[in-house]
Each structure stands twice: as structure tokens, then as C-alpha cells.
Amino acid sequence: MSDSRLFKILYYLLDRERATAPELAEAFEVSVRTIYRDVEALSSAGIPICAEPGRNGGIYLLHGFVLDRAVLSENERREVLTAIQSISAAGYISGKEILTKLSAVFRVNTESWLEVDFSRWGKDACDNAKFERLKEAVIRHKEIKIVYENTGGERSERTVWPLKLSYKSKEWYLKAFCLKKQDFRLFKLNRILRIELSERTFVPRPYPEPQDSPRQSYPRIVLLFSKEIAYRVYDEFDETQIEYQENGGLIACAEMPVDAWLVGYLLSFGTQVEVLEPTYLREVLAAQAQAIYEKNKP
């Protein structure tokens, strides 16, 4: 008899609440007779497990059963606390309270090794409140109404089904299904200006990941940065995208969409960047810089 299988059966029932003997036999690749022997072994060990025959029967744990902390090894308990500590550092407010409670239950003192603050300067309370409301909507499968401003400066009201909160490239995003567009959309949290929770619920569906959809191709952008601005280049580009020059300058090459964000981003470097490719982006950047000069000249 495998002790490992006994624990796996226990975890399986805690997750699904009830299962049939054939279902467990198939899941753990043993015979039905072996499953019933495992159930008897768990019962003998003091686990409140029941097996009911019949069409509506099955194997289940009595309501209210929880795993004792001894089930997890010391290393596993530390891993659990480390995971929660990481979530707490990422802006999850309730994580600190959960971390304190589990530290006491596990009797493990987890030193604080990670501190991350994603809130904008002077906006901590607002950003955290927004994060908490969206987290609640995702967990409870609540439909929400949002006011959103896209990269083109267009503000619109959307009704969406929030599916997942995602953190990528130093920004928080909401992965959702937009009822207006009848399609999946990615919303940047900073651009969600207002949130209204509805009492209507929805059945969650998987958000299509990049590998599930055709990869969108973008033009190849080649940029020459002066050495004085190198620290910013490291913030945005991977080392494999950077070519070092003898004079200390950096050439960065990447595929990205040519849009208002990219133009504004390049303008933020002032004279410390030169567009090598494509030629039309040089013209767009020069025209925008000229327009800024005309608007702000003395």
C-alpha cells in the first residue's frame, strides 16, 4: 500500500468533495478493490471518510474535515508561506493577514525576504481599492461595468466578465470577456477609471493564451541609443535584443507595433535616441517633435 497514494486520494476528495470508486481507480491507476482497501486504511488512521453504495453513493469526507498541519512537511509549509508572501508583496492586501494566521498554525517563522510596491506615487489607496474590487469580481464571477480609456484616448463604458488579473512587464492587466465586443479583451488597470460590480454572475471560460491564437506580426524596429541613456534601455529590452557599440552606444532591435504609445515612448528619450529602421517611423517621430516645438516655442 502506498502512503503517497493515500494522501493523493485525500487531496482529491478535499478538492472534489465526492468521487466514485471507479473514478478514483482510474485516476490513480489501480483496481477498485485497491481503492476500497485504501479507504479502509484511511478510516483506520482516523480520517472521517465514508463510502456509500448505490447509484447516488460515492466516497467522501465528512463535512468540516480539515488537514492537520502535520500532513505537510516543514519544507512544504515554508513553500506555502513563501507563495502567500509573494502574493502579499504583489499588492494583495489580504495576504498579510493570511500569512500571519498560517505562520501560527504551521509554527513556522517566515522572515520577510521580498518587498514589492506596485502602486503609483500618491495613489496607493486608490490602486489597492481598485485591485480588491476586481479581485472580488474575478473570484465571485461577478459581471462588472467599467469606464475604460484606450491608447487612442477614447473613453468608453464596457460590461465585462472578469476572468483573471495578470501582471506583466511592470503593469497589472485584467483579462476579461467584453460583452460589447463579444470577444476576449485585455484591459490595463491604470486605464480603468471606474468600476461598478453587478449582482449578475457568469460562467467563467478560459482566456485564450498567446499559444492558442495566431501570433501577430509587428514591424522590426531598430533603435540607436546613446550610452548616457543605457540604464533605460536595460529596463525595456532583453540583453539578447541589444548590440553594444565601441563608443558605448546601444542598438536595440525588437518587433513591436508602431502606435501612439511607441512614438511617445521614443520622444521621452529626446536626442538620446535615433530610429534606424523603419524609415517611416523616423518621419513620424520628426513630425511629432516639430509639432511639439511649434506648440511650446516661446
Side-chain angles (χ1 to χ4, degrees), residues 154-266:
E154 300 171 338
R155 186 173 298 189
S156 62
E157 185 175 284
R158 309 280 191 96
T159 300
V160 304
W161 294 346
L163 303 173
K164 184 185 295 185
L165 285 166
S166 173
Y167 184 76
K168 184 177 177 62
S169 187
K170 299 181 287 187
E171 297 289 351
W172 279 104
Y173 295 89
L174 173 68
K175 293 182 175 181
F177 183 82
C178 178
L179 298 183
K180 180 180 179 180
K181 300 293 184 180
Q182 283 297 298
D183 199 1
F184 296 95
R185 288 291 186 269
L186 190 66
F187 300 99
K188 192 172 182 179
L189 258 64
N190 287 346
R191 299 199 197 114
I192 298 178
L193 307 179
R194 192 166 68 245
I195 305 169
E196 180 182 335
L197 269 68
S198 169
E199 289 303 315
R200 287 189 293 272
T201 59
F202 63 91
V203 178
R205 57 182 71 182
Y207 187 91
E209 299 303 329
Q211 61 269 22
D212 299 331
S213 55
R215 184 178 181 274
Q216 188 172 355
S217 60
Y218 294 116
R220 181 171 177 266
I221 309 297
V222 183
L223 307 167
L224 173 60
F225 295 94
S226 65
K227 61 181 180 181
E228 289 78 13
I229 208 72
Y231 67 94
R232 285 191 59 191
V233 180
Y234 300 137
D235 287 343
E236 301 294 341
F237 297 91
D238 186 82
E239 191 174 4
T240 59
Q241 299 173 312
I242 301 173
E243 179 184 330
Y244 299 91
Q245 305 299 294
E246 291 183 0
N247 63 357
L250 304 166
I251 292 180
C253 179
E255 294 182 358
M256 58 182 71
V258 177
D259 53 17
W261 180 89
L262 178 61
V263 173
Y265 171 72
L266 294 178

Side-chain angles (χ1 to χ4, degrees), residues 262-281:
L262 178 61
V263 173
Y265 171 72
L266 294 178
L267 286 171
S268 71
F269 287 93
T271 59
Q272 306 294 336
V273 64
E274 178 185 352
V275 177
L276 301 183
E277 297 179 27
T279 304
Y280 70 86
L281 179 56

Side-chain angles (χ1 to χ4, degrees), residues 19-31:
T20 64
E23 178 186 345
L24 291 171
E26 181 180 358
F28 298 105
E29 299 180 346
V30 294
S31 67

Side-chain angles (χ1 to χ4, degrees), residues 282-296:
R282 292 174 62 94
E283 297 170 354
V284 171
L285 199 64
Q288 188 66 28
Q290 181 64 36
I292 293 173
Y293 170 74
E294 293 295 334
K295 188 170 185 177
N296 294 277

